[in-house]
Amino acid sequence: MSDATTSIQVAAAKPVAPARRRPKAPWQVWLDSTGRLSALRIVTLLFLFVPVAVAIYDFNTEGYGARPLNNVIHRAGYWALIFLMASLAITPLRRIGRFGQLLDVRRMIGIGAFVYAASHISLYVADQMFDLWKVASEIVLRLYLTIGFVALLGLTALAATSTDGMVRRLGGKSWQRLHNVVYGIGLLALIHYFQQTKADVAVPTFVAGLFGWMIGYRLLIKFKAARGELPAWKLLALAVTISVLTFAAEAIGIGLVFNVSPLRVLGNAFDFDDLASIRPGWLVLGAGLIVVAVDLVRARFSPRRARSALAEAPRAIQA
């Protein structure tokens, strides 16, 4: 046996050393857990800065009106809610889209929601001339501020315990139970948004419909008998059900506020002359149908890729 052959056999017998984990500072959010540059994290980071870019553009083109600080306060609160809902959407999207990498950016989006919520209250304090006594009294006396402040406290607790160290310290089950309060926080944030919206509530209603879909999806998964993803027909039924509930809730709400018949409000839901006035129920249904389409496409091509991978495995072993 030659020395070259012996060297090859010795090298083959040695176990392959695992890849070293590159050091990563906490502020390097564009790197993944292995310390490598992550395209998904970069896209998420850009997504989190979209509100800043939009605010700068609007300021340069239209201005913020007579009360610019109040305008920015509402912007920050709105985006805090949007990012909170986006973080809740990660679980169904990664399951239905078969895209597990989304879990890597869920924490980033949740922290982004907290940052915008903290900016929301900080700008409110600035608008009150940093009179903390007045701010505290307003929070106590005004119900919508009380609800919003409780939601902020909850987000603060979740943000403070979102590090890997806190997960290890609390333990997986305790950490998960704590972070399940995000659903209550989402509900409080929606109520706060509804209460401070004085004119058209179409956007809050649409967001509430999406929130209802996400809660419904989680309930279906929780009480599902077999493991695996929900079938497409259940996703379709969920989309239709939440859409109908959105129509009904909007009609009842408008009927109570303006003292009109909810049936009359529902009659206007089929008016498509002005695309800008399409009711939230239709938008919720559209979003649900997009999810069904994604599920059908992924279910169509994922098994094919899996079978292809299994077919290639014996060839790789033989090679």
Side-chain angles (χ1 to χ4, degrees):
M1 185 178 294
S2 65
D3 293 340
T5 305
T6 305
S7 300
I8 293 173
Q9 291 177 345
V10 171
K14 291 182 179 179
V16 178
R20 291 186 177 181
R21 184 169 178 172
R22 300 178 184 178
K24 172 188 171 184
W27 51 268
Q28 293 178 311
V29 294
W30 53 87
L31 303 179
D32 61 18
S33 58
T34 63
R36 293 186 175 89
L37 198 65
S38 169
L40 180 60
R41 280 177 164 262
I42 293 174
V43 170
T44 303
L45 194 60
L46 293 175
F47 173 52
L48 293 173
F49 277 98
V50 164
V52 178
V54 172
I56 294 174
Y57 176 81
D58 288 346
F59 180 76
N60 291 329
T61 56
E62 303 174 2
Y64 290 161
R67 298 182 61 189
L69 186 55
N70 188 65
N71 184 291
V72 178
I73 290 172
H74 288 293
R75 286 173 181 267
Y78 169 77
W79 283 105
L81 176 64
I82 294 302
F83 288 132
L84 178 60
M85 294 297 135
S87 68
L88 291 175
I90 291 295
T91 294
L93 288 180
R94 67 99 178 171
R95 289 177 61 99
I96 295 170
R98 282 73 163 176
F99 189 43
Q101 293 90 332
L102 284 175
L103 285 177
D104 188 45
V105 298
R106 181 171 58 183
R107 190 181 305 181
M108 285 180 62
I109 298 175
I111 294 295
F114 164 72
V115 170
Y116 280 98
S119 301
H120 180 60
I121 187 65
S122 299
L123 291 169
Y124 176 73
V125 173
D127 190 47
Q128 300 300 319
M129 305 304 292
F130 298 98
D131 187 345
L132 297 182
W133 176 255
K134 182 179 180 181
V135 171
S137 62
E138 288 287 306
I139 291 174
V140 171
L141 296 176
R142 295 178 181 268
L143 181 59
Y144 83 97
L145 290 177
T146 305
I147 293 174
F149 188 70
V150 172
L152 174 62
L153 291 178
L155 275 178
T156 303
L158 297 188
T161 57
S162 289
T163 62
D164 293 336
M166 288 302 298
V167 175
R168 291 190 296 268
R169 187 175 304 174
L170 293 174
K173 291 184 178 180
S174 297
W175 185 88
Q176 187 60 58
R177 281 196 296 267
L178 172 62
H179 279 249
N180 281 340
V181 303
V182 69
Y183 307 120
I185 293 171
L187 179 60
L188 291 176
L190 275 170
I191 295 173
H192 175 74
Y193 188 28
F194 268 105
Q195 289 179 318
Q196 73 173 13
T197 303
K198 300 179 175 59
D200 187 8
V201 294
V203 175
T205 303
F206 172 58
V207 177
L210 296 181
F211 180 71
W213 185 94
M214 290 185 286
I215 296 298
Y217 175 86
R218 283 167 167 83
L219 291 175
L220 289 176
I221 289 293
K222 181 177 181 180
F223 295 107
K224 189 172 181 288
R227 298 182 63 182
E229 187 47 55
L230 294 175
W233 71 267
K234 282 192 176 182
L235 293 175
L236 177 60
L238 177 63
V240 173
T241 301
I242 299 300
S243 175
V244 170
L245 291 176
T246 303
F247 275 117
E250 182 189 33
I252 294 173
I254 293 177
L256 292 175
V257 172
F258 295 99
N259 195 24
V260 297
S261 171
L263 295 177
R264 182 178 177 184
V265 179
L266 285 173
N268 295 329
F270 296 91
D271 183 5
F272 299 107
D273 293 337
D274 184 6
L275 295 179
S277 63
I278 293 179
R279 304 320 305 163
W282 295 117
L283 299 178
V284 172
L285 179 60
L289 293 179
I290 291 174
V291 171
V292 174
V294 170
D295 178 71
L296 291 174
V297 171
R298 295 296 289 168
R300 175 69 177 82
F301 291 102
S302 292
R304 178 180 297 179
R305 283 200 294 270
R307 288 194 297 269
S308 177
L310 290 174
E312 292 293 335
R315 299 178 188 175
I317 294 174
Q318 293 174 359

